[in-house]
Amino acid sequence: MEFISWKKEDGVAVATINRPPANALSRSLILEVDELLNQVENDEEVRVIVLHGEGRFFSAGADIKEFTQVSSGEEFSKLSASGQEVFERVETFHKPVIAAIHGAALGGGLELAMSCHMRFVTENAKLGLPELQLGLIPGFAGTQRLPRYVGTAKAAEMLLTSDPISGTEAAQYGLANRAYAEEDLLSETLTIARKIAKKSPVSVKAAIEMLQYAKPASYHEGVNAEAQSFGTVFVSEDAKEGIQAFLEKREAQFKGK
Ligand SMILES: C/C=C/C(=O)SCCNC(=O)CCNC(=O)[C@H](O)C(C)(C)COP(=O)(O)OP(=O)(O)OC[C@H]1O[C@@H](n2cnc3c(N)ncnc32)[C@H](O)[C@@H]1OP(=O)(O)O
């Protein structure tokens, strides 16, 4: 794998995303998340996976620069659906996947983190779904998972304003399990991961399976609608303007077209 490396430590696979400068989730990086799961799936020495980011951020989201290479709405809907599929595999994976988030988990980066079974964060990390700032909507099941963690009112605020919340606030709202000082994040996360690694893999698998029943019945319908909508919104003039404005480091001027 080019962008994800991992090593085993006491029953835990510590996986590092390393795609400078922002660990943006290109298509190939998302495929590597899938490949990571392939590699640990049948490894009995791996009981838990901890995912974290190298550099300044956990991940700043889907690769906005790569978006300029896609042109049709159908292609964007497919891109959305294939990301959703990988993240669904994370959420239903029979070994717990834990995100350790520092710096920022934005857009697709937060969507990846939300598909993990637990999230530990630094107090000053930024967590958010800023896609509306780009004239887009989230496309990797963020519209469905965020309200599950923070409630619909806070999810609406986060989506519609594009403002991120801090790690401390994320822990208060239930989006993160706990917030730590920057220097303690990885060691505290590993302590919890090692504790889980000592449990019976049979009961851990069963517990994860049972958690899937806590998803609302409309979840998969919502995710499919999100992928469709992602493609439709993406071909708007406003989306072109939003992406261009990001690349030119200026504020977007949206016209409603
Ligand atoms: C289906 C899913 C959809 C999505 O996920 S859409 C994407 C949603 N994410 C975002 O909108 C976040 C965009 N990024 C930011 O808001 C900011 O960045 C940060 C807050 C993460 C960091 O800000 P700062 O510290 O001022 O650094 P910087 O100069 O903006 O970024 C450093 C370099 O990283 C590149 N970068 C940041 N995010 C992305 C991204 N999501 N895709 C591609 N590149 C990204 C920038 O362009 C720049 O690069 P250069 O140094 O070459 O100018």
Side-chain angles (χ1 to χ4, degrees):
M1 291 193 283
E2 190 183 351
F3 306 119
I4 299 180
S5 57
W6 65 279
K7 57 179 191 253
K8 275 182 242 182
E9 278 177 25
D10 305 328
V12 180
V14 183
T16 308
I17 303 172
N18 188 3
R19 187 171 180 263
N23 293 335
L25 299 172
S26 58
R27 284 180 210 229
S28 42
L29 177 42
I30 292 174
L31 289 176
E32 288 194 15
V33 173
D34 201 38
E35 176 57 23
L36 169 68
L37 301 186
N38 289 340
Q39 293 186 8
V40 298
E41 189 161 31
N42 298 314
D43 186 332
E44 287 177 10
E45 289 172 17
V46 174
R47 300 279 182 88
V48 179
I49 298 105
V50 168
L51 195 56
H52 75 113
E54 186 67 50
R56 286 168 62 206
F57 314 112
F58 175 79
S59 168
D63 189 335
I64 299 169
K65 292 170 187 166
E66 208 177 65
F67 283 164
T68 55
Q69 297 156 16
V70 185
S71 54
S72 80
E74 290 83 47
E75 210 182 325
F76 276 117
S77 292
K78 270 193 207 150
L79 184 137
S80 165
S82 57
Q84 289 174 352
E85 202 177 306
V86 173
F87 293 2
E88 178 75 11
R89 186 174 177 212
V90 173
E91 188 167 61
T92 55
F93 200 60
H94 64 288
K95 302 181 186 199
V97 186
I98 303 176
I101 300 167
H102 76 291
L106 297 173
L110 180 59
E111 290 174 301
L112 169 60
M114 287 195 292
S115 72
C116 295
H117 301 102
M118 285 180 255
R119 284 151 296 285
F120 296 101
V121 296
T122 57
E123 289 153 354
N124 56 6
K126 287 182 181 172
L127 288 82
L129 294 181
E131 285 84 348
L132 268 74
Q133 201 156 288
L134 299 163
L136 308 174
I137 62 158
F140 298 148
T143 62
Q144 305 305 298
R145 288 200 178 99
L146 185 63
R148 213 167 77 193
Y149 293 118
V150 304
T152 43
K154 188 67 185 175
E157 181 185 330
M158 290 174 68
L159 283 169
L160 299 176
T161 64
S162 301
D163 291 339
I165 58 174
S166 69
T168 304
E169 214 186 335
Q172 285 161 359
Y173 273 95
L175 177 57
N177 293 67
R178 215 160 300 151
Y180 294 109
E182 188 96 32
E183 61 274 20
D184 297 329
L185 176 70
L186 213 47
S187 63
E188 293 287 352
T189 304
L190 284 172
T191 301
I192 293 159
R194 280 189 213 107
K195 186 174 186 173
I196 298 169
K198 289 189 185 136
K199 303 278 191 272
S200 151
V202 178
S203 53
V204 165
K205 179 174 184 246
I208 290 174
E209 276 168 14
M210 292 310 106
L211 285 171
Q212 303 315 310
Y213 288 94
K215 281 182 189 169
S218 60
Y219 176 77
H220 291 288
E221 215 178 303
V223 163
N224 290 339
E226 183 192 81
Q228 286 309 314
S229 180
F230 187 74
T232 310
V233 173
F234 234 115
V235 290
S236 66
E237 281 181 30
D238 280 352
K240 287 188 192 77
E241 161 64 7
I243 292 165
Q244 201 54 39
F246 174 81
L247 297 175
E248 291 170 10
K249 298 183 190 284
R250 61 172 172 82
E251 196 178 337
Q253 302 295 322
F254 295 127
K255 299 201 170 94
K257 288 184 191 159

